Amino acid sequence: MIIFRLIAIVLFFVTAMPVPGFSLSVQKKPVPQQTPSFSLFPELQNKIDPKVFTMALAGYHSLKQQGKVARDGLLTIIDFNRPSVDERMFVIDINRGRLLYSGLVAHGSGSGENYAYSFSNQSGSHQSSLGFYTTGQTYDGRNGYSLRLLGMERGINDNAERRSIVIHGADYVSHDYIRRTGRLGRSQGCPAVSLDSYQEVIDLIKGGSCLFIYHNDVEYTSASSLLNPDIARFQAGYGGQS
């Protein structure tokens, strides 16, 4: 018994001693990226529906993995579930947990009056389009300083460029207009913002950031490849794009 114990002790010290020219490296498993909890964003608590925020983050990460988001950590949410008299456009720094901007935003005249309830990807509809976009370049057009939006979802908002769906300033987006009419004015489908803040908003989000236009629309949520991995895999299998 004593001999066996001595052998065990010798073996322990031999295996513990480093061998010259040899190193043992232990590979650590990569830590999966965690989606930030809504509770980490105190400035959003009374402004954004947690469900909408979670959906927006899911689409943001999908686009980022596809290399379609050039500006890391910047996410804009437009919540068309809310009436036009409410602030419903939010720009968020998700890396720092900060709300950078919140304000009024108009929907298309074909989508509804105070509430938006109808959406389209078709030219001439004057309706807003739901889903995920990335922001493009700025230009000066008939509505002044404007920001191009690039629709990222086929069949849902991929006609945005053809329809000239852009962010621009409008005089019908103001609290004074709400006092006079009971709602905001409406665009031809563009998410128009206040003349007091449109330049600030455009400069804040231009150049490849992610923008999500939301409504509790069953047709959209069931068709979005960015929110439904099964649809994304099907489209990829047939050479489609999200």
Side-chain angles (χ1 to χ4, degrees):
M1 182 66 70
I2 294 175
I3 292 173
F4 286 120
R5 287 182 180 175
L6 287 173
I7 292 172
I9 292 170
V10 170
L11 286 173
F12 171 79
F13 281 107
V14 169
T15 55
M17 291 173 62
V19 179
F22 177 80
S23 64
L24 180 64
S25 62
V26 179
Q27 264 193 328
K28 295 181 179 179
K29 291 183 179 179
V31 178
Q33 185 178 16
Q34 298 294 321
T35 301
S37 167
F38 186 70
S39 62
L40 298 177
F41 298 82
E43 293 181 65
L44 309 184
Q45 300 299 314
N46 298 317
K47 289 183 175 288
I48 300 178
D49 184 333
K51 181 183 78 171
V52 178
F53 180 71
T54 301
M55 291 173 67
L57 273 181
Y60 163 82
H61 285 303
S62 293
L63 288 173
K64 186 178 175 183
Q65 288 172 0
Q66 296 172 32
K68 295 179 180 177
V69 173
R71 296 192 58 187
D72 181 58
L74 194 63
L75 174 62
T76 301
I77 298 174
I78 296 175
D79 185 356
F80 279 156
N81 250 21
R82 296 177 175 232
S84 68
V85 297
D86 285 359
E87 290 188 351
R88 52 183 184 171
M89 181 177 188
F90 310 96
V91 182
I92 306 156
D93 181 338
I94 57 178
N95 290 334
R96 295 177 175 82
R98 292 181 55 210
L99 179 65
L100 304 179
Y101 171 84
S102 64
L104 300 170
V105 59
H107 55 255
S109 60
S111 288
E113 295 194 4
N114 189 27
Y115 283 90
Y117 57 86
S118 183
F119 307 94
S120 175
N121 192 34
Q122 298 303 313
S123 298
S125 68
H126 292 180
Q127 294 181 16
S128 299
S129 297
L130 300 177
F132 289 90
Y133 300 75
T134 57
T135 59
Q137 300 304 311
T138 61
Y139 70 99
D140 287 303
R142 62 189 180 90
N143 290 305
Y145 189 50
S146 304
L147 175 64
R148 301 184 194 279
L149 296 179
L150 313 177
M152 294 288 106
E153 302 200 70
R154 187 177 63 180
I156 295 172
N157 59 23
D158 57 346
N159 281 333
E161 280 189 278
R162 191 176 299 109
R163 296 178 62 203
S164 298
I165 301 300
V166 302
I167 292 179
H168 62 81
D171 58 5
Y172 51 77
V173 182
S174 70
H175 290 287
D176 180 61
Y177 195 98
I178 292 171
R179 281 190 292 271
R180 289 187 284 110
T181 66
R183 60 167 172 80
L184 287 186
R186 296 161 300 161
S187 68
Q188 294 184 353
C190 297
V193 296
S194 166
L195 288 176
D196 293 334
S197 58
Y198 76 103
Q199 291 182 329
E200 170 198 350
V201 172
I202 288 173
D203 287 338
L204 182 60
I205 68 174
K206 65 183 180 182
S209 70
C210 178
L211 182 146
F212 177 48
I213 299 181
Y214 171 80
H215 186 271
N216 188 23
D217 181 270
V218 175
E219 186 176 345
Y220 166 69
T221 53
S222 61
S224 171
S225 63
L226 292 171
L227 297 177
N228 297 283
D230 290 340
I231 295 175
R233 283 193 290 268
F234 174 81
Q235 290 184 347
Y238 284 86
Q241 296 178 351
S242 43

